[in-house]
Amino acid sequence: MSHCAPTPAPALTGGKIALVGNPNVGKSILFHRLTGQYAVVANYPGTTVEITQGLAKALPQVVVLDTPGIVSFPARSEDERVTAQVLLRDELQAVLQVGDAKNLRRTLLLAAQIAEMGVPQVLALNMVDEARARGLSVRPELIQSALNIPVIPTVATRGQGMDSLIQSVQHAAAPSFHLPYPQPVEDSLDRIQPLLPAARIAPRALALLWLSEDGVADEWLRENLS
């Protein structure tokens, strides 16, 4: 695992942020906290999957996308494919991952995969009250240090942590992070990356998705390579 400090980013004005997370982690509640009651629901282009979007109340001219729940990459269901498409195809100013503090293993798997994509990222560690009620010790600063991203404890149902979360999203920067893989994988990544066209995610992450037989990445590459 390697990382270095991200370059501080200017305050966010305009653009899109995507809410991404496992199913049943409180994304929809957090979406309404960020946007208020008004939202637009429509099918993501080329799919039958609905995606919700609305303007952020506290972030000028910023559109918030509430993506379908995803367990991890590669995407397996049609809903997960839409989330992967948003990350690969949409021009995002930041990714706001919503994680379940009671299930850190699943949360951190997805967090590490997103961090490797090199997109500005913030982790809202939601339901910390339920985690503590179960006797779990939640230490966001350790996750923040390991992944090199802001980690904000939240209780979306009560609005706790929202001010800190908005502040972190406004100044989110792209993490420099990757996990070391077995040498045959690393050798393949070294060969593949120079051949890839520019994308919205880091070349290493795109190569990892393709090696994992991710259908969304394969489709994107077929469109962008001769």
Side-chain angles (χ1 to χ4, degrees), residues 72-75 84 87-88 95 109-119 121 175-179 181 185-186 188-190 192-194 196-218 220-221:
S72 65
F73 299 97
L87 292 172
L88 190 55
V95 173
L109 169 60
L110 185 60
Q113 289 184 311
I114 296 172
E116 287 196 302
M117 294 182 181
V119 180
Q121 178 185 0
S176 177
F177 170 89
H178 74 258
L179 290 170
Y181 294 92
V185 176
E186 293 290 346
S188 295
L189 292 173
D190 289 341
I192 293 170
Q193 289 181 75
L196 297 177
R200 301 199 188 281
I201 64 174
R204 179 181 175 88
L206 182 58
L208 281 167
L209 286 172
W210 186 78
L211 284 174
S212 302
E213 299 184 344
D214 179 81
V216 174
D218 185 73
W220 187 91
L221 286 169

Side-chain angles (χ1 to χ4, degrees), residues 6 28 59 70 74 79 87 96 103 108 122 141 201 208 219:
S28 295
L59 301 171
I70 183 169
D79 283 3
L87 292 172
L96 174 51
N103 195 336
L108 293 179
V122 175
E141 70 278 3
I201 64 174
L208 281 167
E219 183 180 280

Side-chain angles (χ1 to χ4, degrees), residues 1-202:
M1 178 176 68
S2 65
H3 60 80
C4 60
T7 302
L12 178 62
T13 55
K16 296 179 183 177
I17 63 174
L19 290 182
V20 178
N22 302 136
N24 304 314
V25 294
K27 274 194 307 88
S28 295
I29 297 172
L30 201 61
F31 174 85
H32 287 295
R33 289 283 182 187
L34 290 170
T35 63
Q37 297 302 312
Y38 182 75
V40 175
V41 180
N43 288 355
Y44 190 78
T47 75
T48 59
V49 177
E50 290 185 340
I51 195 166
T52 306
Q53 65 180 39
L55 286 173
K57 294 184 293 184
L59 301 171
Q61 299 178 329
V62 171
V63 174
V64 182
L65 303 178
D66 186 9
T67 65
I70 183 169
V71 176
S72 65
F73 299 97
R76 291 172 174 82
S77 68
E78 186 181 9
D79 283 3
E80 289 190 337
R81 283 176 60 89
V82 165
T83 298
Q85 287 183 53
V86 168
L87 292 172
L88 190 55
R89 296 178 179 273
D90 286 34
E91 187 172 356
L92 300 175
Q93 302 302 312
V95 173
L96 174 51
Q97 182 193 354
V98 185
D100 181 356
K102 306 188 305 298
N103 195 336
L104 283 179
R105 184 182 296 273
R106 195 167 67 160
T107 293
L108 293 179
L109 169 60
L110 185 60
Q113 289 184 311
I114 296 172
E116 287 196 302
M117 294 182 181
V119 180
Q121 178 185 0
V122 175
L123 172 58
L125 199 57
N126 199 31
M127 297 184 278
V128 291
D129 56 335
E130 296 180 23
R132 288 168 181 151
R134 296 186 181 189
L136 300 176
S137 176
V138 182
R139 299 184 64 185
E141 70 278 3
L142 295 181
I143 303 171
Q144 182 165 305
S145 175
L147 292 179
N148 195 34
I149 60 173
V151 179
I152 311 299
T154 61
V155 182
T157 53
R158 301 176 187 170
Q160 293 180 6
M162 292 304 300
D163 290 343
S164 297
L165 190 63
I166 290 168
Q167 182 71 16
S168 295
V169 170
Q170 279 185 304
H171 298 279
S176 177
F177 170 89
H178 74 258
L179 290 170
Y181 294 92
Q183 197 57 49
V185 176
E186 293 290 346
D187 292 343
S188 295
L189 292 173
D190 289 341
R191 292 197 302 270
I192 293 170
Q193 289 181 75
L195 306 175
L196 297 177
R200 301 199 188 281
I201 64 174

